[in-house]
Amino acid sequence: GLTLQQAEILSALCHMLHGQLNSGTMDITLDKMLTSVYGHYLAIAIDICSLFERRFHPTQGLTKQEEDLEYERISGRVSMVVEETMRTTLDKMLTVVKDARKTNLYVPQRKGLGISVNPANLSTPKHVAGLPYGVLFMHGRRSNLFHVRFREHSRGGMRVATPNSPQEYTLRSLNHYEEAYGLAATQHAKNKDIAEGGSKAVLLVRTHDYDDIKAMQTHQRVKQGANKNEEE
């Protein structure tokens, strides 16, 4: 079955690609994407997550030949998916995993999952400033971050977005990468007379339902305490 680590990888991929998959003719919500993957295509998703784990394992990593064979095997399974939306979604996930450059997956006591993404995997014709030098995606418990840079050595800043409603959060989530790309491209143009290129990060934090979650956690602690006292 799906391990906790694989569930984290799968969640990160869905959050990363949600906006990209909705930038064309597709229309799939994040909840629908997660529900469909977990409900109908979990076996393929596990294979994709396992490939990611094995690619970057510090002591038992795959050879290039093994990696290519595994990619072809999973790609064959994805191509058999009848529903076009989910076939495209799974194929995009697999491509991102195959082309990922670095990750902190095996770093002890990390606070989130970081993936250095091949910028070509997120590119669209709308990106008129060209292909960035590097793209970093970070997935945390209640936050996601895109960092975009246009040269190896770049300078810029970070924007923290804290939407006040579910609707605003969904909109910012859909345009998360576009926002980071646009800000980095603007900064790159401003930096034209210095050695460093432009970069920007956008941290999207889910805060609109924080009080509800806090109340639910308090209720659970009280209930657990009551059950414990009852047992005693």
Side-chain angles (χ1 to χ4, degrees), residues 62-228:
L62 299 173
T63 65
K64 184 64 170 64
Q65 184 179 15
E66 290 172 334
E67 190 178 306
D68 289 343
L69 287 172
E70 186 65 4
Y71 170 79
E72 291 299 329
R73 184 186 71 81
I74 302 171
S75 182
R77 295 192 67 186
V78 171
S79 68
M80 299 297 288
V81 173
V82 176
E83 187 183 354
E84 183 180 0
T85 297
M86 291 313 302
R87 185 171 65 250
T88 302
T89 298
L90 293 165
D91 183 65
K92 193 72 173 178
M93 287 182 183
L94 179 58
T95 300
V96 166
V97 166
K98 177 179 178 291
D99 294 344
R101 296 171 173 177
K102 294 180 181 179
T103 182
N104 67 341
L105 181 65
Y106 294 102
V107 174
Q109 299 182 328
R110 57 182 174 81
K111 302 302 181 183
L113 177 60
I115 303 173
S116 178
V117 186
N118 183 340
N121 294 158
L122 303 177
S123 180
T124 73
K126 294 188 297 183
H127 298 152
V128 295
L131 206 62
Y133 178 86
V135 175
L136 174 68
F137 179 75
M138 286 290 299
H139 177 62
R141 182 177 296 179
R142 299 184 59 80
S143 63
N144 293 290
L145 175 142
F146 272 111
H147 180 272
V148 180
R149 57 181 172 142
F150 277 86
R151 288 182 189 160
E152 181 178 5
H153 301 289
S154 298
R155 66 165 67 176
M158 180 170 73
R159 172 181 289 180
V160 179
T162 56
N164 295 317
S165 68
Q167 294 77 15
E168 186 184 352
Y169 179 84
T170 297
L171 182 62
R172 294 297 288 266
S173 177
L174 283 170
N175 295 288
H176 193 178
Y177 179 70
E178 302 302 321
E179 184 176 359
Y181 178 92
L183 290 171
T186 300
Q187 186 66 47
H188 189 57
K190 290 179 180 178
N191 291 5
K192 60 181 177 22
D193 296 324
I194 61 175
E196 294 91 349
S199 68
K200 283 288 183 177
V202 176
L203 174 63
L204 180 60
V205 185
R206 182 175 171 177
T207 60
H208 60 269
D209 59 352
Y210 181 72
D211 289 337
D212 294 338
I213 290 176
K214 195 160 59 171
M216 181 181 69
Q217 291 172 338
T218 301
H219 173 73
Q220 288 174 339
R221 284 196 294 270
V222 171
K223 186 177 179 180
Q224 288 169 356
N227 290 338
K228 185 177 180 181

Side-chain angles (χ1 to χ4, degrees), residues 34-49:
L34 288 165
T35 301
S36 295
V37 171
Y38 277 99
H40 304 289
Y41 306 102
L42 188 56
I44 298 176
I46 289 174
D47 278 351
I48 294 172
C49 295

